[in-house]
Amino acid sequence: MSPSTPRIDTHQHHIPEFYKNALASVGVHGSGENPWAKWSVELALDVLDRKGIAATVSSISSPGVYFGDVAFATKLSRDCNDFSARMVADHGSRFGALGVVPLPDTAAACREVEYALDTLKLDGISLLTHVGNAYLGQPVYDEFFAELNRRKAVVFLHPV
């Protein structure tokens, strides 16, 4: 890549305070074995500037939104997607964003895909490789993947 070619980071995570607080309410205090990193839009922009990165495509950090309670996951997905849309609206030349969905509830996930892509105009959907103990290849997710396919949605598959 030549020095004049803009760099785009296609894998960055945002970790807003409301997300950390929501996960703390279910006993989650970090991603994997690591505590939450300090994060803000301003810090993310500073990293982009220091590293010479023109823009990034961001998604909510693992471990996602589902911890055994579909209603919790549905509300948190909506809050995360609304936050992502505001971040893009405020800094559209620097941020793109991928939505999150409340799997394992495929009907709720399909509704959130519609909201994230059609209403909020997010750039795609970020999925974790498994939800609870179920990997994404299970037949229970066929309807959901058919909806993503019908929309020709961009999907980022994140390992967990």
Side-chain angles (χ1 to χ4, degrees):
M1 181 183 314
S2 74
S4 64
T5 303
R7 294 180 183 159
I8 298 174
D9 177 355
T10 60
H11 183 187
Q12 188 179 105
H13 293 297
H14 48 277
I15 317 167
E17 287 302 313
F18 77 86
Y19 177 73
K20 293 178 191 179
N21 293 336
L23 269 58
S25 77
V26 294
V28 177
H29 302 282
S31 180
E33 297 175 0
N34 301 308
W36 294 122
K38 186 174 180 182
W39 184 91
S40 69
V41 170
E42 294 74 23
L43 287 172
L45 289 168
D46 182 60
V47 168
L48 295 178
D49 291 341
R50 283 188 293 111
K51 300 296 183 181
I53 300 170
T56 186
V57 180
S58 190
S59 59
I60 202 69
S61 180
S62 62
V65 296
Y66 180 73
F67 303 92
D69 181 342
V70 170
F72 176 88
T74 300
K75 180 183 181 329
L76 188 53
S77 292
R78 180 61 54 98
D79 291 346
C80 289
N81 291 335
D82 286 340
F83 176 88
S84 296
R86 283 190 307 276
M87 185 174 65
V88 170
D90 292 346
H91 305 280
S93 67
R94 303 302 299 277
F95 287 105
L98 302 173
V100 62
V101 296
L103 288 174
D105 185 325
T106 56
C110 287
R111 286 190 299 274
E112 197 60 25
V113 163
E114 178 181 15
Y115 180 72
L117 299 181
D118 295 352
T119 302
L120 298 178
K121 307 295 185 197
L122 296 180
D123 299 297
I125 301 296
S126 180
L127 300 174
L128 301 176
T129 53
H130 64 277
V131 179
N133 293 324
Y135 285 90
L136 293 179
Q138 303 297 317
V140 68
Y141 297 129
D142 287 353
E143 171 192 349
F144 173 69
F145 281 109
E147 178 63 12
L148 291 173
N149 189 51
R150 183 186 71 76
R151 293 171 165 280
K152 297 179 175 39
V154 170
V155 176
F156 180 81
L157 188 57
H158 191 283
V160 176

